[in-house]
Amino acid sequence: QVQLVESGGGLVQAGGSLSVSCAASGSVFSINILGWYRQAPGKQRELVAAITSGGTTNYADSVKGRFTISRDNAKNTVYLQMNSLKSEDTAVYYCNLRYHSTISRTEYWGQGTQVTVSS
């Protein structure tokens, strides 16, 4: 029983900034990986960034240098700071919780939050 709730999406002009957050609750094992994925209409869902409970991060090439992922382990919350936004960043952003494959292959998803970048 895990629930992920995203918040903070909205409309922003190209070049602007926006931050989104995701709070995980329920039976969450403390050693986990939290990530942000996004999906634009007609496209596949893609990984944006991920962060382990130990602080190791991974970013998609398209967002490196512009986005920063962080987390608060005590709150089981993950954040994504998005700077220098481009129109191609427009998508529904989803929070994801998973574990190392040697522990569990189960993963969980949030409901998504819309991020729209106007050009």
Side-chain angles (χ1 to χ4, degrees):
Q1 298 178 331
V2 174
Q3 185 176 8
L4 304 175
V5 180
E6 302 101 333
S7 61
L11 175 65
V12 64
Q13 290 188 337
S17 298
L18 194 68
S19 64
V20 292
S21 63
C22 171
S25 62
S27 301
V28 182
F29 183 54
S30 60
I31 303 175
N32 59 58
I33 304 167
L34 287 167
W36 287 99
Y37 289 71
R38 67 187 181 188
Q39 187 168 28
K43 295 185 177 181
Q44 291 187 318
R45 189 171 299 186
E46 64 175 355
L47 174 69
V48 177
I51 183 169
T52 70
S53 52
T56 301
T57 60
N58 184 46
Y59 295 91
D61 288 341
S62 60
V63 307
K64 286 181 179 177
R66 300 189 297 121
F67 292 8
T68 302
I69 189 169
S70 61
R71 63 185 290 163
D72 184 332
N73 289 338
K75 297 180 179 179
N76 257 313
T77 300
V78 62
Y79 309 89
L80 185 68
Q81 177 65 46
M82 300 179 283
N83 299 323
S84 301
L85 283 162
K86 306 173 181 179
S87 59
E88 50 262 45
D89 294 318
T90 296
V92 176
Y93 284 69
Y94 296 91
C95 181
N96 171 268
L97 169 67
R98 62 182 174 90
Y99 302 97
H100 191 277
S101 60
T102 60
I103 299 174
S104 176
R105 292 189 178 275
T106 303
E107 61 180 348
Y108 305 89
W109 295 93
Q111 83 287 351
T113 185
Q114 178 71 47
V115 172
T116 302
V117 183
S118 63
S119 59

